[in-house]
Amino acid sequence: MTGSGKVATSNGNHSNGHSNKPADYTARENQTDEAKKIQCYLTPEEFRAVRIMQEDTYPYEVIQEIADFIVKGSGMRPRIGIICGSGLGSLADIIQDAKVFEYEKIPNFPVSTVEGHAGKLVVGNLEGACVMAMQGRFHFYEGYPLAKCSMPVRVMKLCGVEYLFATNAAGGINPKYMVGDIMLMHDHVNMLGFAGNSPLQGPNDPRFGPRFPALVNSYNKDLINKALEIGKAMGIESNMHVGVYSCLGGPTYETIAELKALRLMGVDAVGMSTVHEVITARHCDMKVFAFSLITNKCSIEYDDKRDQEANHEEVMAVAKNRQKACCELVSRLIREIHAMPPSGTQAAKTGV
Ligand SMILES: O=P(O)(O)O[C@H]1O[C@H](CO)[C@@H](O)[C@H]1O
């Protein structure tokens, strides 16, 4: 596309066919050599933007630009990042003094395509802490490479975020889990990783983290314990579990044979997100807290007589029903974190 929205053909003609060069060509003499070679009439800025959209990984500088855009635009430097799962967008609605950025208006940001993911970035205050929340995440099945799905986590990091709160809607495989329960994630099985996919694939930029990051203890134990205490205080401890999440590529829900295999591997809840975000967050040394809202029970028996087919409408409806409890859990935990000194200080070294 040219800046005027017209498509340049391979011989340099515009698709209107009348001229060899677009009328505004003189304004575009400043092209990169690469752009000239393919007779493309994009300005250097447009050319760069198209390249970024096509690339799997975002250069550090581009992520820095996005972070600067958010910090300058909001006038805030968030300490906690929240990713809202399907139907859990209300986690961002409780943020006060909010500055809202639509994904389409953030330079070089992908757009949300899934129902229940509004596509907004909300920066503001929650329980006294400065937070930024993604009302809409990116999934592999939307067609985005994993690095792009979790690129916003790096944006969070460069905005100043220390803690990532990742939430999701998930199917319960553990037979003890009921619809509406909350599972605090203490580990994951990365099925996309088993298949050779990682958000860290490609050249490693050491400004984010090491080439070979360790993932044991990815889920902060102190935060899990605090969340359990909060669950007790809220009177929902019998609906709370600590378990293992697995992410599959989706968008299909799992077959019974797949669910049986996951259960054998020790998986308690299954979804199509979160793991790549956690990997990206741990790579750049963020502290991670994550939970799954169990929106459906996964049948792992062929002769199960219940009508157990998962569907997104049910997922959204359950999330809506349980949003109050999820919001309260997140708010209370953030209040506790806010009461702690920022990491890096002497006192913080002994805490989470
Ligand atoms: O993981 P989140 O984004 O909460 O969404 C979950 O819900 C959708 C399926 O209903 C899938 O996208 C699955 O991953």
Side-chain angles (χ1 to χ4, degrees):
M1 295 266 281
T2 68
S4 55
K6 293 173 191 154
V7 177
T9 57
S10 58
N11 65 2
N13 284 339
H14 260 143
S15 52
N16 66 18
H18 295 305
S19 144
N20 259 352
K21 285 175 184 168
D24 55 351
Y25 182 66
T26 44
R28 293 164 180 272
E29 282 172 342
N30 198 14
Q31 288 172 312
T32 59
D33 287 347
E34 206 173 340
K36 275 181 188 152
K37 237 185 267 161
I38 58 167
Q39 295 187 307
C40 154
Y41 293 117
L42 300 182
T43 62
E45 292 73 29
E46 288 166 338
F47 188 73
R48 182 166 172 261
V50 169
R51 285 203 46 186
I52 292 163
M53 295 310 278
Q54 289 170 342
E55 293 286 324
D56 283 5
T57 53
Y58 284 63
Y60 187 95
E61 291 70 24
V62 172
I63 294 181
Q64 183 71 65
E65 279 170 23
I66 303 173
D68 290 346
F69 176 86
I70 291 159
V71 170
K72 280 197 194 112
S74 65
M76 290 179 253
R77 200 167 264 293
R79 189 177 172 209
I80 297 166
I82 303 169
I83 302 178
C84 305
S86 283
L88 291 172
S90 53
L91 290 170
D93 291 336
I94 56 174
I95 294 173
Q96 290 172 340
D97 313 316
K99 171 83 191 167
V100 180
F101 301 87
E102 283 169 27
Y103 289 174
E104 281 124 50
K105 304 220 171 109
I106 303 175
N108 299 316
F109 220 69
V111 290
S112 284
T113 67
V114 185
E115 205 200 328
H117 292 265
K120 290 179 187 161
L121 191 69
V122 183
V123 187
N125 289 304
L126 190 54
E127 297 294 332
C130 188
V131 303
M132 66 193 280
M134 289 178 68
Q135 225 171 17
R137 63 149 52 88
F138 306 111
H139 306 83
F140 192 58
Y141 62 76
E142 292 176 76
Y144 295 121
L146 286 181
K148 196 169 260 188
C149 291
S150 56
M151 176 277 287
V153 173
R154 289 185 164 176
V155 172
M156 287 179 176
K157 174 76 182 180
L158 297 192
C159 284
V161 166
E162 295 168 50
Y163 295 88
L164 176 69
F165 279 39
T167 69
N168 61 60
I173 309 184
N174 185 322
K176 292 192 184 126
Y177 290 9
M178 296 296 158
V179 170
D181 286 359
I182 290 173
M183 183 194 83
L184 309 178
M185 288 169 63
H186 82 120
D187 207 350
H188 67 235
V189 175
N190 180 9
M191 292 305 288
L192 292 176
F194 279 23
N197 260 305
S198 166
L200 306 181
Q201 229 158 36
N204 182 58
D205 189 329
R207 286 172 289 183
F208 286 116
R211 171 76 287 186
F212 299 108
L215 286 183
V216 286
N217 301 321
S218 282
Y219 299 86
N220 190 288
K221 287 196 179 80
D222 293 333
L223 293 177
I224 292 175
N225 289 335
K226 279 185 194 300
L228 287 170
E229 280 168 27
I230 291 168
K232 218 176 203 175
M234 287 169 60
I236 59 165
E237 69 266 41
S238 56
N239 302 103
M240 240 184 185
H241 314 277
V242 178
V244 176
Y245 174 89
S246 183
C247 166
L248 271 63
T252 52
Y253 294 102
E254 302 68 36
T255 65
I256 289 181
E258 285 163 355
L259 292 166
K260 280 177 186 287
L262 291 170
R263 188 70 195 127
L264 276 177
M265 285 193 277
V267 172
D268 297 296
V270 62
M272 309 170 196
S273 70
T274 308
V275 168
H276 44 275
E277 298 155 354
V278 171
I279 291 172
T280 305
R282 290 303 299 149
H283 179 241
C284 61
D285 203 26
M286 285 161 81
K287 296 181 183 87
V288 171
F289 172 72
F291 71 80
S292 300
L293 174 67
I294 305 301
T295 51
N296 52 291
K297 263 176 95 72
C298 296
S299 173
I300 53 172
E301 298 307 331
Y302 287 105
D303 56 2
D304 194 329
K305 295 288 181 296
R306 295 167 300 166
D307 178 13
Q308 283 295 308
E309 280 194 0
N311 65 81
H312 195 54
E313 289 67 39
E314 182 192 10
V315 167
M316 302 269 292
V318 173
K320 197 164 173 237
N321 270 338
R322 295 294 287 158
Q323 61 190 8
K324 199 161 165 268
C326 295
C327 286
E328 189 170 344
L329 173 65
V330 167
S331 302
R332 287 193 184 205
L333 194 52
I334 287 179
R335 195 186 310 159
E336 298 230 3
I337 291 175
H338 184 55
M340 297 183 319
S343 49
T345 63
Q346 198 49 43
K349 283 185 185 137
T350 54
V352 271

